[in-house]
Amino acid sequence: MGLDAEQTESIAAYLDGFGEQSCELTAASPAEAERIAEREQLTCVIAQYDLPEGDGLSALTRCLAAQPDLLTILVSRHDEESLIDRTYEAGVDEFVHYTGPEKGRVVEHHLSTYLGEAEDGASPPRTSRYLETLASTTSDAIVSVDESSTIRYANPAVAEVFGYDPSEVVGEPLTMLMPEGLTDDHRAGVRRYLETGERTLDWDDIELPGRHKAGHHIPLSISFSEFSVGEERYFTGIIRDIRDRRRLQSERDLYHDATQQILKADSFHEGLRIAVDAIGEAMDWRYGEAWVCPDGEHLERVPDPYVTSPETETFAEATDDVTFHLNEGSVGRVWQSGESEWLTDVATDDAPFFRSAAATEAGLHAALGVPIVSDGTVVAVMVFLLAEPREPDETMVDATRTIAADLGRLMERLEAETALREERNLNERILETSPVGIAILERDGTFSYVNDRATEILHVGEYDPPLTAADLDLQMVSFDGEPVDTSGNPYRRVVESTESVSGELRIETDDGPRWLAVDGAPLDHEAGEGSAMVFSLQDVTQRKLRERRLQQHEVVMNTVSDGLYALDGEGRFVVVNDAYCRLIGYDREELVGRPASEFVESRLIEEARALQEQIRRGGDDEATMELTLTTASGEQVPIEARITLFEYEKASTGEPGSSATSATASAARSDSLASTRSGRR
């Protein structure tokens, strides 16, 4: 009842093998199932728990009321303990937790158990031709034992799973297929169950280790059942080798765990160590290591290899100083070829393994070398060794190679993130040490970043977010000569126009007026109105004050009747007034920046230099000399020149000149200022 077409067809085939005729009883309710049982002679009834109306347990209970000797089996996707208890209390013969098509074999096994015939009480139950064929062709091992745990039946798949021919195990104790650590628990459990009916473990698809004929352990999934023939009780186990499933799960766990851990690694070498440990543990290697080539010529082992015993630790210590040239040894061959290499036994393999003596002494034999490739280049080689010789295991090779390929991609990502992090740190250091103030403002006027220089320029003191423009202890007066109001400041201009702005901002602080060169722009032009804004700030107050002084000096110089000029340390005109231009007949544009030697005789230049040195040595403020100056028209004009030294920017030196006022050339140059009075009357 409630079975799908595939289940019905499979069960019908089994019943046909027993010489029984089967039909599907379709009932809309438990009451209808009872009526069918009352009018039909039935051998067995199998019902799903979930029926269109009511439930399968109620239907089986009513069928049993009509025919008490019916074989009844309840199949359910639910496995609550209360449901299982109610099933057996109702007299139902078997409960099967349905987790997929594989549980069909459990149902079929129950059918064979209850419908089979025994030749005599001492022999195993006789199966039908169909079941015998099934048992001989299935890939699952089937083993039946009696109350003394003596094996009475074993199908051919036992050889594939355990390495024994069936004839080798029949008549032997079941414990021959168990690891030694489980035999005592098994005997105690069987004894307790026979005496009390109490199960010490789940009988449905439980995972337990088995022991292969070769001595190694095998992960198994086992489903148990019990049946009786006369007074004899038998137990059958359907046993599946789950090594492939375990290995697949190990590979998945390996990839997940290694990926998560490598993403947290701070360096390439740390990521390698994590990878070697993860692969070694997941794939049951006895030893693992990684090699890199830091100088492009020699291969060196990464510290802290994967070890599993004192012997492998000794091997690691004994070979700690070993290095290889490229293409030397197994490690070098893998590096050069970029291909994996499997050695069946490092002690005897034709391909040389230079550390074979130390490896053999440590009990290491089979070896696998796998390259890690990043961006088409081998960046590391992983080497793993087993405790026994072994022919190439393609599953292990493929799994390790797959992980290595993924690790290569992860290493690329790690290196890219490291480079990005270093670049970000460098940018932050540049910003923090920049002589230019950098500030980033959000659209609401909140500063999201202010470097040290910007805090000085804006008189912030100590930057303590959140900080807004309104929190600044200053007042914006003008920007590019225009008065600043709430909507006219540089910040609002960028917000409203989403375009860059540049200009000079005058501010008032407690220390007086200051001028700032301001450049601002949206941080992301494509972001539009939602973008933050970045501003660069330079304090140009000193420059503005110098410009103002120079303007004042220029006005003063051009109002005096004497000719005034200034030369820098290289003898070039840097300042001339109108009177001097009229005196010698040249325009200011012709003089400024040109050497004085082009307009004054070299003899006079040398005399002026001598006076300059006299002033420097004697400490006098000025010196006077009389000379004749040739004008642009060739006229000879006698003049008197007063010379003084002055500080041009930061260095005090000089050339012929008079009282100092100011200079606008570059810092640390020698300059002089001279006033000339014409000797004409």
Side-chain angles (χ1 to χ4, degrees):
M1 290 178 288
L3 305 179
D4 59 32
E6 181 178 351
Q7 293 170 323
T8 302
E9 181 180 351
S10 175
I11 293 170
Y14 269 80
L15 293 176
D16 288 342
F18 282 94
E20 302 287 343
Q21 183 178 5
S22 67
C23 63
E24 182 182 11
L25 302 180
T26 304
S29 67
E32 185 176 353
E34 182 180 10
R35 288 193 294 272
I36 294 174
E38 290 175 342
R39 68 172 183 264
E40 300 285 347
Q41 183 61 41
L42 305 174
T43 302
C44 69
V45 179
I46 304 172
Q48 287 275 18
Y49 180 78
D50 295 313
L51 296 177
E53 297 180 25
D55 61 82
L57 179 56
S58 298
L60 291 178
T61 302
R62 295 199 179 196
C63 288
L64 284 170
Q67 297 187 38
D69 295 329
L70 271 176
L71 168 61
T72 51
I73 300 175
L74 180 64
V75 180
S76 174
R77 296 182 184 273
H78 312 284
D79 64 344
E80 295 86 356
E81 185 175 351
S82 59
L83 175 60
I84 298 173
D85 291 341
R86 287 192 294 115
T87 299
Y88 288 115
E89 289 171 359
V92 175
D93 296 293
E94 292 293 342
F95 177 89
V96 176
H97 178 210
Y98 187 81
T99 57
E102 71 275 7
K103 288 307 177 73
R105 288 195 294 272
V106 177
V107 174
E108 294 157 2
H109 178 71
H110 290 319
L111 290 175
S112 69
T113 299
Y114 285 91
L115 300 180
E117 297 178 358
E119 294 179 344
D120 55 65
S123 63
R126 180 170 58 86
T127 60
S128 69
R129 175 183 53 82
Y130 185 84
L131 290 177
E132 190 70 49
T133 301
L134 176 69
S136 65
T137 57
T138 182
S139 60
D140 293 339
I142 300 176
V143 176
S144 294
V145 301
D146 59 20
E147 294 182 36
S148 67
S149 286
T150 300
I151 299 173
R152 296 299 182 183
Y153 172 80
N155 73 336
V158 166
E160 184 69 26
V161 175
F162 293 98
Y164 290 101
D165 186 83
S167 61
E168 294 182 83
V169 300
V170 173
E172 299 295 332
L174 181 63
T175 52
M176 73 179 298
L177 304 179
M178 299 179 185
E180 291 183 2
L182 294 181
T183 56
D184 291 342
D185 290 341
H186 166 73
R187 294 188 186 98
V190 171
R191 184 168 56 253
R192 184 184 306 109
Y193 178 73
L194 292 174
E195 293 173 355
T196 67
E198 178 186 350
R199 299 181 181 183
T200 57
L201 48 77
D202 189 2
W203 284 23
D204 188 21
D205 197 22
I206 185 173
E207 293 189 5
L208 293 170
R211 183 172 63 183
H212 194 272
K213 182 178 181 179
H216 58 269
H217 293 180
I218 320 159
L220 304 172
S221 173
I222 308 174
S223 293
F224 299 100
S225 64
E226 178 187 1
F227 65 97
S228 299
V229 178
E231 298 298 323
E232 294 291 331
R233 300 170 71 177
Y234 293 90
F235 303 91
T236 295
I238 300 176
I239 306 167
R240 173 168 295 179
D241 184 343
I242 58 173
R243 278 178 290 188
D244 289 342
R245 188 169 78 189
R246 281 279 185 88
R247 184 171 291 169
L248 179 60
Q249 185 60 47
S250 294
E251 292 172 15
R252 291 173 178 169
D253 292 344
L254 165 63
Y255 177 73
H256 177 269
D257 294 344
T259 299
Q260 295 302 313
Q261 293 181 60
I262 288 172
L263 288 176
K264 300 175 184 178
D266 294 327
S267 67
F268 179 69
H269 282 189
E270 182 183 353
L272 277 177
R273 286 193 294 270
I274 291 171
V276 170
D277 288 350
I279 294 174
E281 184 174 353
M283 306 300 292
D284 203 25
W285 294 100
R286 290 296 177 267
Y287 176 82
E289 60 189 14
W291 294 78
V292 294
C293 187
D295 61 2
E297 296 182 1
H298 298 87
L299 298 172
E300 298 179 1
R301 191 175 68 193
V302 176
D304 300 325
Y306 172 74
V307 296
T308 58
S309 66
E311 292 77 16
T312 55
E313 186 172 356
T314 299
F315 171 75
E317 293 174 353
T319 60
D320 186 48
D321 295 331
V322 174
T323 61
F324 296 103
H325 290 287
L326 299 180
N327 204 33
E328 182 181 26
S330 176
V331 179
R333 290 193 300 274
V334 172
W335 190 287
Q336 284 289 77
S337 67
E339 300 291 337
S340 302
E341 179 178 273
W342 182 283
L343 301 178
T344 302
D345 189 342
V346 297
T348 60
D349 204 286
D350 292 338
F353 188 86
F354 288 176
R355 297 172 292 162
S356 60
T360 303
E361 186 175 348
L364 300 172
H365 294 277
L368 171 65
V370 177
I372 294 178
V373 180
S374 176
D375 197 22
T377 302
V378 176
V379 294
V381 169
M382 295 186 296
V383 176
F384 299 94
L385 291 101
L386 291 170
E388 70 276 348
R390 186 181 298 184
E391 293 298 324
D393 187 326
E394 291 302 325
T395 302
M396 296 182 77
V397 174
D398 290 343
T400 307
R401 191 160 46 201
T402 298
I403 300 303
D406 290 334
L407 291 174
R409 287 188 284 271
L410 287 171
M411 290 308 174
E412 291 178 22
R413 178 177 175 181
L414 179 61
E415 289 181 322
E417 290 177 349
T418 300
L420 182 61
R421 184 166 56 249
E422 291 176 351
E423 181 180 356
R424 186 183 299 116
N425 292 339
L426 176 61
N427 290 339
E428 289 178 357
R429 288 195 298 271
I430 292 174
L431 289 175
E432 286 304 320
T433 58
S434 171
V436 177
I438 304 294
I440 298 177
L441 283 83
E442 302 299 327
R443 287 183 57 82
D444 62 0
T446 301
F447 287 91
S448 58
Y449 175 79
V450 181
N451 73 347
D452 290 345
R453 180 57 179 149
T455 62
E456 296 174 5
I457 293 174
L458 297 175
H459 291 253
V460 172
E462 185 174 348
Y463 177 48
D464 184 19
L467 177 70
T468 67
D471 297 325
L472 300 179
D473 190 18
L474 54 83
Q475 180 181 358
M476 289 179 281
V477 178
S478 64
F479 184 65
D480 270 358
E482 298 292 330
V484 170
D485 56 22
T486 304
S487 61
N489 66 50
Y491 156 69
R492 295 306 313 172
R493 290 190 189 183
V494 176
V495 170
E496 293 170 0
S497 68
T498 68
E499 298 293 336
S500 301
V501 299
S502 181
E504 285 189 355
L505 174 68
R506 180 182 175 184
I507 61 175
E508 288 290 341
T509 70
D510 293 340
D511 299 329
R514 302 192 74 81
W515 285 264
L516 308 179
V518 178
D519 290 282
L523 198 57
D524 183 358
H525 284 280
E526 298 180 358
E529 294 185 357
S531 173
M533 292 142 286
V534 59
F535 288 89
S536 67
L537 311 169
Q538 287 182 280
D539 190 333
V540 295
T541 302
Q542 294 303 316
R543 190 190 73 192
K544 293 291 292 186
L545 293 176
R546 284 197 302 270
E547 289 176 353
R548 287 191 170 190
R549 285 197 300 269
L550 288 175
Q551 290 172 356
Q552 295 169 354
H553 295 161
E554 186 174 353
V555 170
V556 171
M557 289 177 65
N558 287 324
T559 58
V560 299
S561 58
D562 290 343
L564 296 174
Y565 67 90
L567 304 179
D568 64 16
E570 298 178 5
R572 294 183 301 240
F573 286 106
V574 291
V575 176
V576 293
N577 70 348
D578 292 342
Y580 187 76
C581 291
R582 289 192 299 271
L583 179 64
I584 65 173
Y586 290 96
D587 294 333
R588 179 179 287 104
E589 290 76 14
E590 294 179 275
L591 296 173
V592 174
R594 303 284 295 280
S597 58
E598 295 182 10
F599 305 93
V600 181
E601 296 178 30
S602 58
R603 174 181 58 83
L604 300 178
I605 295 294
E606 291 301 323
E607 291 180 9
R609 288 186 184 278
L611 286 176
Q612 170 189 329
E613 188 62 26
Q614 178 182 325
I615 294 172
R616 181 180 290 111
R617 289 197 307 267
D620 297 332
D621 291 334
E622 65 178 27
T624 304
M625 64 179 293
E626 293 183 357
L627 60 134
T628 300
L629 188 68
T630 302
T631 67
S633 62
E635 181 182 1
Q636 299 292 312
V637 180
I639 64 172
E640 179 185 79
R642 294 194 308 275
I643 302 171
T644 185
L645 298 179
F646 73 98
E647 183 176 325
Y648 179 55
E649 291 293 324
K650 295 183 179 180
S652 181
T653 55
E655 288 287 334
S658 86
S659 58
T661 56
S662 178
T664 58
S666 58
R669 290 182 178 174
S670 301
D671 303 292
S672 64
L673 183 67
S675 66
T676 58
R677 185 184 302 274
S678 171
R680 287 178 288 190
R681 299 285 185 268

